[in-house]
Amino acid sequence: MGSTEDKIKGNWNELKGKFKQKYADLTDDDLKYEEGKEDELIGKIQQKTGEAKETIKGYIDNM
């Protein structure tokens, strides 16, 4: 498991708040976290924001 997944797993409530601040279009439903489904979560964020997967992972890694 990489650092992105570790950060999601360990700090999701904090990260979720930051994503909602940065991307106002994201809903709680978009940001629903299920353990083991980090890639699906990143995919949902990617679809909703239009950002590249690497950009989203970089944002998470730098939080």
Side-chain angles (χ1 to χ4, degrees):
M1 188 180 287
S3 64
T4 302
E5 288 81 4
D6 289 341
K7 279 198 166 196
I8 289 172
K9 193 173 182 180
N11 304 308
W12 185 241
N13 285 332
E14 182 183 343
L15 293 172
K16 183 166 80 169
K18 290 184 179 188
F19 268 108
K20 286 176 96 173
Q21 286 176 352
K22 186 170 175 81
Y23 303 107
D25 290 346
L26 291 172
T27 65
D28 283 335
D29 220 29
D30 296 326
L31 297 171
K32 191 176 192 179
Y33 169 67
E34 292 180 54
E35 191 168 339
K37 295 191 175 186
E38 291 84 1
D39 279 339
E40 285 181 33
L41 175 64
I42 291 170
K44 279 185 190 177
I45 295 168
Q46 183 183 7
Q47 278 185 320
K48 196 82 177 214
T49 63
E51 295 282 4
K53 192 175 206 172
E54 294 75 27
T55 302
I56 294 165
K57 283 187 169 190
Y59 185 67
I60 292 169
D61 291 343
N62 289 318
M63 281 192 205

